[in-house]
Amino acid sequence: RRSNHSKFSITCLPVHLTVSPAAERLRYILGDDEETMPTPTLFTEMDTLQHEGDELEWRESARWVKFEEKVEEGGERWSKPHVSTLSLHSLFELRTCLQTGTVLLDLEGYSLPQIVDDIIERQIEEGLIGAELRDKISFVLLRKHRHQTKKPIHRSFADLGKSGSGGSECSIFKTVPVSPSIPTHIVHNSRSMNDIAETPSTDQLKNKFMKKIPRDAEASNVLVGEVDFLEKPFVAFVRLSQATTLGGLTEVPVPTRFLFVLLGPLGKAKSYNEIGRAIATLMVDDLFSDVAYKARDREDLIAGIDEFLDEVIVLPPGEWDPKIRIEPPKKIPSADNRRKSVFSLNELGQMNGTAGGRGPVSEDEVMPAPHELGEELAYTGRFCGGLILDIKRKLPWYPSDFYEGFHIQSISAVLFIYLGCITNAITFGGLLGDATDNYQGVMESFLGTALAGTVFCLFSGQPLIILSSTGPILIFEKLLYEFSKNNGIDYMELRLWIGMHSCVQCIFLVATDASYIIKYMTRFTEEGFSSLISFIFISDAIKKMVGAFKYYPINIDFKSDYVTAYKCECLAPDPSKSILGVEHVGTSLNVTALDWTQLSKKECVKYGGSLLGKSCKYVPDLALMSFILFFGTYTMTVTLKKFKFSRYFPTKLRKLISDFSIFMSIMTFVGLDMLIGLQTPKLIVPTDFKPTRAGRGWFVMPFGKNPWWVYVASSVPALLVTILIFMDQQISAVIVNRKENKLKKGCGYHLDLLWVGVLMVACSFMGLPWYVAATVISIAHIDSLKMESESSAPGEQPQFLGVREQRLTGILVFVLTGVSIFLAPILQFIPMPVLYGVFLYMGVASLGGIQFWDRIKLIMMPAKHQPDFSYLRHVPLRRVHLFTLVQIVCLAVLWILKSTFLAIIFPVMILGLMVIRKMLDMVFSQHDLAWLDDILPEKEKKKKEDEKNTTKKDKKKGKGGDDSEDVSVLVVRLLKERRRLLGLK
C-alpha cells in the first residue's frame, strides 16, 4: 500500500520475511549475557476501590505468584490457583493505557504519599489532568487497604444471612452502587487524613502466605477503581529505583517495586478490572517481568506486551466455557525457550502464525539431548587416569558427605533400606546355604553385607549405591560348589583363588579406564537390565507368597453346618506296643495310668498315641492371613507414598507421612499380626556369632588343599565373575547417576569398581558372599532421599531439587545390618509376608519412569487413550511397537537364561544387548532412535563430521553464485532500514 507521508510504497512481502520490532527491542533490552543476575520473583496483588457506606477503601480482590487466586463471591475464601484467562480486548486496552498514561521508571520513592504526589505532579505537567483534581485523586489513592484474611468461624456463620439478601460486597465484577463522591471538607484536609498505614500491621507480619513466597521476592501492586470526578482514565505505571515496603499497601510484608494505578469514570468497573488482571498477569510472566525490570522507556514496556501478544494462544469463545478455571500444569514450561526464540527465531521475524501456520520451534520439536554420561567416563589414556580424576572429584565433597546426612529424611531412608537389606540378606543367605551345603549361610550373609557395605559407603565414589548379593552370583556359587564336589576340589580354597584373580582383573580394568565402554550402553541396555532385576524382585515376592498357600493350605472342606461333627481324639496305643512306645521316648510312665483324652496333640504323638477325627488335620488359615499382610503392606505403602500429593493436612505433615510410608506400613501390619495372634511365618535371625557350617573357621587358607594347577586354572572362571561384576556394577551405577536425578557431587565409576574388587578378596578370605551393586535397592535408596522445594507458588507443584547426597544413610544401614544378630528378640516379631510386600513395592517402584514399561502399556491402549508422550509425536506408532517388541524378546531371552544352568553366561548376554542395539541402527532411522533410545557415540561423531562436510560444500557452492540466502538477509536488512527511516512502529 502507499503511505500518506511518503512517495515510497511498501510491498507486502512473504510472512516469513516480516520483521518483529518487538523482538528487536527485546533483544536489545534483555541482551544475551548469561551472567546477568536473575530478576526477583514478583508477588502481585490487585486491590479494587470499594464503597463502604460513606467511606472509601481499597479491597484486595486477587493475587498472583505464579497463578491467579481471586477472592470468591462473598469474600470468605481464596479460590483455587488457576491459569489466568484474559481477553484480547483487555490486553489491547492495557497497551493503550501504557501509551497514553504516565510511566515513571526508577522513581525514588520512600512512602506511598510521596509516590502518589510524584505521579499526580507528572500527570499535571503532561497536561493529562487539571490541578484541581490533585487532592481528590490523592485522597482516593491514600485510602486504607483491607486485605483478605481468615475470618473467625462465628463471623463466617453470621455473614451467611447477609450473602443471601444483600449480595456480595467484595465482588470485583460489581459496579459500586453508590457514587463514591468525595466530600469537599475532606478534600481540603486530605493530606492530614491518610488512611493507609505507614508500617505493616501484625496480620501482615504473621501472614502464613509468606511461606509460599521466596525470600528475595518483591511486590507489584495494582490499584483499579471508578470515581465520579474523572472524565477520562487516570493511568500510571511506576517502577521504583529500590524496592520499598509501603506500609499496609500489600497483604504480606514484601517490598514494593512496581505500582500500576487505573482510575476511571463510572460505568466501566468490569473493564477496569480486566485491565488490572491483564497487567497483574503480565507482571508474573517470566519474560515480561524481565522487561519490566530492564525497560528504559514506555516503548520497551509496549514491546514486552507485543511479545506477550505474539505468544498468546486464543481460545474460540464458542468452544469453551469462560467460567471454567484452568488447572495449573504439573510441569511449568521453561521461560528459557521463549528467551531463545527472541534471540534466534525472531531474528527473521518468525512469530506465531507464520506461513503455513507454523510458529516457533517448540520444545517438543527440538531433538532430544544426545547420549552423554559426563566427563567421569572420558578416556584419559593414562595409567589409572580415570581413578585419579575420581579421587580428585570426590575428595572435596568428603566432609559434606557426612554432615549433610543429618536430616529427618535420612531416618526414613535408613529404616526403609535397612529392612530391604536384611530381607535380602536372609533370602540370599538361605539360598546360599542350600546351594553350598551351608559353607555360606545367613550368618555369613549378614556379616558380609555389613562389612562390604560399610567399607563401600565410606570410600566409594558413589555412596548412594547399595551393595548386595545378586541372582547371577548365587547361580555361579551353586555351579562352582557342584563342580568342586564332583571333582574332589576344596570349594572354599578354589573360591578364594577365583576372588583374587577377579580382583586383579578388576584392578586392570580400572587402570586402563575400561569403564569407558559404558558410553555404549544406551537406554536400550539399561532398561533391559533394570527391568529384568525389577521383574526378579516382583516374581520372587509373588513366589514366596504363593509358597505360603502350599505350606498352609486353606481349609476348603470346612462346612459350618457340620461343626458338631468335627472332633479329634487321642487313642491309646495297643497294649502290645505301649511298652515299646514308652521306651522309645525314654520315660517310665505307666501307659494305662494316662488319661489319653486330656493329652495335647504333641503329647499324644510323643507317647505313641494315635489321632482320630476330621479336625485332626485342621490348619489355621495362615495363608489367607499372610496374603492380607503381604498385599496390605504393599497397598498401604503405595498409598502413603503418594500422600504428599493429596489435599489433606498441611504440606509438611503430608511430606512426613510420605517419607515414612514404608516404616508406617510395616509397623501397622506387624501390629495387626500381633493383634490377631496367628502363627504366621516370622523373620528368622541367627543368634550365635559363629559360621553356619560346623567345622569351618572365619578365615580360608590359600594353600594346602588343592593341586597347584587349580591356582592358575581358576583365572578362567574368574574372568566370568569379573565380566558379571563389571556389567552389574557399572550398569547400576549408570542408572543411579542419571541426569534425571540431578546429582551434583559427581560419580566415580573407576573408584567404585576398585573397591568392589578389593572387597571380593576380603570376602573370599573370610568365606563370605561376594557383593555388587543392587539395582533395585539402590534406586529405592535414591527415591527415599529425593528433595523437593519447600516454598512453591500456590498451584505450582513442588520442584524436584535433587538427591540428598551423603554417606551417612548407607553406613547406618549396613551397621544396623551387622548388629541385627543381637536384635533377634525384636526382629523375630516381623512376619515374612510383610517383608515380601516390601520386596514387591521395591520391584514395582523401580519400574516407574522406565520408558520401556510405558511402551509396553501402550500396546494394550487404543490410540485415543494413549498419553501424550513426546516420542509418540515424532515416531510412527508401529515403529514404537516394533522397538518395544525387540526389547520384550531380549528380556524374555535373559529371563530364560537366568532361570537355567546357562545363567553363568548371563553377563555375556548383557554384552549381547549392546550388540543387538548396534544392529538396530540398520532397522531404525537415527531420528527414531534419538526419540526411543540414544544415538551411539560413533554415530554422533559421524553426524558431526557430515555436518562439517555439508558446511564446506555449502561454502563452495556459495562461491559459485548461489546467493538465495544472502538475498533474503539483504531484504530483511533493507526492511529494517526502511522502517527506521519512515518511523514505523
Side-chain angles (χ1 to χ4, degrees):
R1 67 182 183 183
R2 187 172 297 276
S3 172
N4 295 330
H5 305 285
S6 172
K7 296 181 179 179
F8 298 104
S9 62
I10 300 176
T11 307
C12 189
L13 293 173
V15 179
H16 69 278
L17 289 180
T18 59
V19 178
S20 168
E24 292 180 16
R25 271 190 173 271
L26 293 187
R27 280 203 303 272
Y28 185 76
I29 298 168
L30 302 179
D32 201 8
D33 187 6
E34 296 180 355
E35 297 181 358
T36 55
M37 293 293 293
T39 56
T41 301
L42 279 178
F43 165 73
T44 303
E45 175 183 328
M46 187 172 85
D47 293 354
T48 310
L49 187 64
Q50 300 288 336
H51 190 270
E52 186 73 26
D54 294 333
E55 296 292 332
L56 287 174
E57 68 177 9
W58 293 98
R59 199 171 291 176
E60 186 177 12
S61 57
R63 67 185 181 194
W64 289 255
V65 179
K66 285 283 186 183
F67 303 98
E68 179 179 4
E69 296 175 272
K70 61 173 289 187
V71 178
E72 297 284 27
E73 194 78 18
E76 293 296 326
R77 52 175 291 226
W78 286 105
S79 69
K80 287 184 62 177
H82 54 277
V83 179
S84 299
T85 51
L86 308 173
S87 65
L88 276 178
H89 183 68
S90 65
L91 288 169
F92 287 126
E93 284 190 322
L94 171 63
R95 191 179 188 278
T96 303
C97 287
L98 291 180
Q99 282 180 324
T100 58
T102 297
V103 175
L104 296 174
L105 301 179
D106 296 328
L107 176 68
E108 296 290 340
Y110 54 86
S111 68
L112 186 61
Q114 175 253 320
I115 295 171
V116 169
D117 285 344
D118 289 346
I119 295 172
I120 297 173
E121 190 65 34
R122 177 63 65 88
Q123 290 256 348
I124 294 174
E125 290 177 2
E126 295 177 353
L128 298 177
I129 61 171
E132 69 279 3
L133 296 177
R134 178 196 299 271
D135 290 340
K136 292 184 178 181
I137 294 176
S138 178
F139 176 83
V140 171
L141 293 180
L142 296 179
R143 294 304 88 204
K144 67 179 179 181
H145 289 252
R146 179 180 295 182
H147 304 292
Q148 175 66 16
T149 56
K150 186 176 181 181
K151 294 185 178 182
I153 297 178
H154 63 84
R155 173 82 178 270
S156 300
F157 279 113
D159 288 345
L160 290 177
K162 295 181 181 179
S163 60
S165 56
S168 170
E169 295 179 357
C170 288
S171 174
I172 64 172
F173 297 108
K174 184 175 179 181
T175 305
V176 180
V178 182
S179 174
S181 56
I182 313 299
T184 306
H185 70 281
I186 291 180
V187 170
H188 292 306
N189 299 288
S190 62
R191 296 186 179 277
S192 61
M193 297 187 65
N194 298 340
D195 279 352
I196 188 165
E198 296 181 359
T199 57
S201 64
T202 305
D203 289 340
Q204 289 174 277
L205 296 174
K206 294 183 178 180
N207 196 333
K208 295 181 179 180
F209 190 70
M210 277 297 294
K211 296 179 181 179
K212 297 290 185 180
I213 304 174
R215 293 183 180 180
D216 61 342
E218 297 177 351
S220 168
N221 292 94
V222 178
L223 307 178
V224 295
E226 55 178 4
V227 291
D228 62 346
F229 56 81
L230 288 177
E231 296 180 357
K232 61 180 182 179
F234 174 91
V235 182
F237 179 90
V238 179
R239 182 183 70 201
L240 301 180
S241 58
Q242 295 292 331
T244 307
T245 302
L246 299 179
L249 182 63
T250 311
E251 174 193 357
V252 286
V254 176
T256 295
R257 172 74 74 164
F258 297 95
L259 187 66
F260 178 82
V261 180
L262 172 57
L263 295 176
L266 295 176
K268 294 185 177 181
K270 183 175 181 179
S271 177
Y272 301 152
N273 279 278
E274 288 302 307
I275 295 172
R277 289 182 62 247
I279 186 63
T281 304
L282 279 166
M283 294 307 297
V284 296
D285 179 72
D286 290 330
L287 192 56
F288 185 84
S289 65
D290 284 352
V291 174
Y293 270 97
K294 299 174 183 178
R296 300 153 304 174
D297 52 36
R298 78 171 72 233
E299 295 301 326
D300 291 345
L301 294 172
I302 293 171
I305 296 179
D306 290 342
E307 190 280 335
F308 186 86
L309 286 168
D310 287 334
E311 297 290 333
V312 160
I313 296 174
V314 178
L315 295 175
E319 298 179 13
W320 81 295
D321 186 0
K323 296 179 182 178
I324 295 175
R325 289 174 179 168
I326 302 175
E327 292 283 338
K330 292 184 179 180
K331 183 178 180 181
I332 301 176
S334 173
D336 293 337
N337 293 328
R338 287 174 59 195
R339 291 188 179 94
K340 289 177 182 177
S341 69
V342 169
F343 294 111
S344 57
L345 282 168
N346 288 342
E347 189 169 350
L348 292 178
Q350 290 183 324
M351 309 295 289
N352 271 350
T354 53
R358 184 175 179 82
V361 178
S362 66
E363 186 176 357
D364 288 324
E365 292 172 338
V366 178
M367 289 293 287
H371 179 60
E372 294 179 359
L373 294 177
E375 61 178 8
E376 296 89 352
L377 289 175
Y379 183 73
T380 62
R382 301 189 305 272
F383 179 76
C384 292
L387 176 62
I388 294 172
L389 290 176
D390 284 350
I391 296 174
K392 289 181 178 179
R393 186 182 304 111
K394 298 301 294 185
L395 203 56
W397 297 104
Y398 200 73
S400 66
D401 284 342
F402 288 92
Y403 64 75
E404 287 184 3
F406 290 95
H407 192 273
I408 191 172
Q409 188 181 19
S410 300
I411 300 175
S412 64
V414 168
L415 293 172
F416 173 30
I417 303 304
Y418 164 67
L419 290 169
C421 281
I422 63 169
T423 307
N424 210 34
I426 290 172
T427 303
F428 280 101
L431 294 174
L432 273 171
D434 294 338
T436 63
D437 197 14
N438 285 331
Y439 274 103
Q440 299 174 71
V442 175
M443 175 58 71
E444 287 79 8
S445 183
F446 267 79
L447 183 60
T449 302
L451 173 65
T454 304
V455 172
F456 186 83
C457 286
L458 273 172
F459 304 110
S460 67
Q462 184 48 272
L464 296 176
I465 292 175
I466 300 295
L467 295 190
S468 176
S469 296
T470 60
I473 288 180
L474 173 64
I475 295 170
F476 181 85
E477 296 272 18
K478 182 178 181 180
L479 295 174
L480 183 64
Y481 177 75
E482 291 177 354
F483 173 81
S484 303
K485 184 178 180 181
N486 295 334
N487 293 275
I489 298 175
D490 186 78
Y491 163 67
M492 298 301 288
E493 189 176 291
L494 172 61
R495 184 176 179 275
L496 169 60
W497 278 95
I498 291 176
M500 289 192 293
H501 281 296
S502 183
C503 174
V504 173
Q505 292 166 1
C506 286
I507 294 175
F508 175 77
L509 294 175
V510 171
T512 57
D513 290 350
S515 296
Y516 172 75
I517 68 170
I518 301 297
K519 279 184 172 288
Y520 300 98
M521 291 186 185
T522 62
R523 184 187 293 163
F524 179 86
T525 308
E526 293 174 24
E527 290 184 345
F529 180 80
S530 59
S531 298
L532 176 67
I533 303 300
S534 299
F535 287 142
I536 289 174
F537 265 69
I538 295 171
S539 66
D540 285 350
I542 295 175
K543 281 181 183 178
K544 296 283 186 182
M545 195 61 250
V546 172
F549 285 84
K550 295 180 181 179
Y551 288 112
Y552 312 106
I554 296 178
N555 301 294
I556 300 176
D557 297 331
F558 177 81
K559 297 179 181 179
S560 59
D561 191 41
Y562 296 156
V563 68
T564 55
Y566 291 122
K567 62 180 180 178
C568 182
E569 295 180 351
C570 180
L571 300 180
D574 293 339
S576 60
K577 300 179 180 179
S578 61
I579 297 176
L580 295 174
V582 172
E583 289 176 352
H584 178 69
V585 298
T587 63
S588 58
L589 291 174
N590 187 357
V591 175
T592 57
L594 288 174
D595 185 0
W596 293 91
T597 59
Q598 299 300 318
L599 295 180
S600 66
K601 179 179 178 181
K602 290 183 179 180
E603 292 173 341
C604 182
V605 175
K606 179 180 179 181
Y607 298 134
S610 58
L611 298 170
L612 180 65
K614 292 184 178 180
S615 62
C616 289
K617 295 183 179 180
Y618 172 81
V619 178
D621 288 336
L622 297 182
L624 185 60
M625 184 63 191
S626 297
F627 180 78
I628 292 173
L629 297 176
F630 166 74
F631 192 71
T633 302
Y634 168 75
T635 306
M636 184 175 179
T637 302
V638 172
T639 304
L640 293 182
K641 201 68 180 176
K642 297 178 179 178
F643 194 74
K644 62 182 175 182
F645 301 113
S646 72
R647 300 178 180 179
Y648 303 102
F649 304 116
T651 305
K652 288 187 177 180
L653 181 59
R654 293 201 309 264
K655 191 174 185 304
L656 195 65
I657 292 174
S658 177
D659 289 341
F660 284 85
S661 57
I662 302 286
F663 180 73
M664 293 174 65
S665 302
I666 291 174
M667 290 297 101
T668 299
F669 285 95
V670 168
L672 177 64
D673 179 73
M674 295 176 66
L675 183 65
I676 301 298
L678 292 177
Q679 297 299 316
T680 52
K682 299 297 193 296
L683 183 63
I684 301 174
V685 183
T687 55
D688 298 328
F689 187 72
K690 62 181 181 180
T692 305
R693 184 183 176 91
R696 64 148 285 196
W698 280 119
F699 292 96
V700 180
M701 294 296 105
F703 302 103
K705 294 185 178 180
N706 290 329
W708 66 268
W709 57 266
V710 174
Y711 308 144
V712 179
S714 57
S715 61
V716 177
L719 181 61
L720 287 174
V721 175
T722 303
I723 296 174
L724 169 63
I725 288 176
F726 179 82
M727 301 300 295
D728 207 343
Q729 174 68 35
Q730 303 298 50
I731 291 179
S732 300
V734 167
I735 294 172
V736 168
N737 294 319
R738 280 175 177 167
K739 289 186 291 186
E740 302 93 90
N741 292 330
K742 296 184 178 180
L743 302 181
K744 299 176 181 177
K745 295 184 178 181
C747 46
Y749 293 95
H750 312 281
L751 186 58
D752 290 347
L753 186 59
L754 173 68
W755 278 108
V756 169
V758 171
L759 288 170
M760 278 196 69
V761 173
C763 291
S764 299
F765 268 105
M766 296 183 67
L768 305 178
W770 292 325
Y771 293 93
V772 72
T775 306
V776 172
I777 302 181
S778 299
I779 293 174
H781 192 206
I782 289 283
D783 290 338
S784 64
L785 291 171
K786 286 185 175 179
M787 299 182 295
E788 293 179 339
S789 57
E790 294 183 2
S791 63
S792 56
E796 182 183 11
Q797 295 290 338
Q799 300 297 310
F800 172 57
L801 302 178
V803 178
R804 200 173 302 281
E805 300 177 62
Q806 36 72 49
R807 300 176 185 270
L808 204 58
T809 54
I811 293 173
L812 288 176
V813 163
F814 292 115
V815 170
L816 285 174
T817 304
V819 302
S820 294
I821 301 169
F822 309 104
L823 298 177
I826 299 174
L827 297 177
Q828 66 183 0
F829 289 105
I830 301 178
M832 288 303 294
V834 170
L835 298 182
Y836 299 153
V838 174
F839 258 46
L840 179 63
Y841 169 77
M842 291 167 66
V844 173
S846 61
L847 287 175
I850 295 181
Q851 190 196 91
F852 173 44
W853 181 241
D854 292 334
R855 284 189 273 106
I856 289 177
K857 293 186 286 186
L858 286 178
I859 298 175
M860 298 174 283
M861 288 185 194
K864 63 180 180 179
H865 296 305
Q866 292 174 352
D868 187 20
F869 294 130
S870 58
Y871 53 85
L872 291 180
R873 298 184 178 186
H874 305 276
V875 183
L877 189 59
R878 55 187 175 80
R879 306 291 288 175
V880 174
H881 289 337
L882 177 60
F883 189 83
T884 307
L885 184 62
V886 173
Q887 282 188 289
I888 292 175
V889 172
C890 292
L891 181 62
V893 172
L894 287 176
W895 183 272
I896 294 171
L897 286 174
K898 187 270 312 178
S899 306
T900 63
F901 69 93
L902 294 174
I904 196 169
I905 64 169
F906 175 78
V908 179
M909 292 309 300
I910 297 294
L911 289 173
L913 285 180
M914 299 170 62
V915 177
I916 294 173
R917 169 61 185 86
K918 181 69 175 176
M919 295 170 61
L920 289 179
D921 283 344
M922 298 182 290
V923 181
F924 294 89
S925 67
Q926 294 302 302
H927 173 270
D928 292 352
L929 289 174
W931 286 102
L932 296 174
D933 188 39
D934 296 306
I935 303 297
L936 292 175
E938 294 95 344
K939 286 290 180 182
E940 189 68 24
K941 184 178 179 181
K942 184 179 178 183
K943 183 179 178 182
K944 290 180 180 178
E945 290 177 355
D946 292 342
E947 290 177 354
K948 290 181 180 178
N949 294 333
T950 304
T951 305
K952 291 179 180 178
K953 291 180 181 178
D954 290 341
K955 288 181 178 179
K956 292 179 181 179
K957 194 174 181 180
K959 292 179 181 179
D962 187 1
D963 299 328
S964 58
E965 185 178 355
D966 294 337
V967 171
S968 300
V969 174
L970 181 60
V971 171
V972 171
R973 288 178 179 174
L974 288 173
L975 277 171
K976 289 181 181 179
E977 186 66 19
R978 186 169 187 74
R979 287 176 179 272
R980 189 181 68 80
L981 292 173
L982 295 177
L984 295 177
K985 294 181 182 179

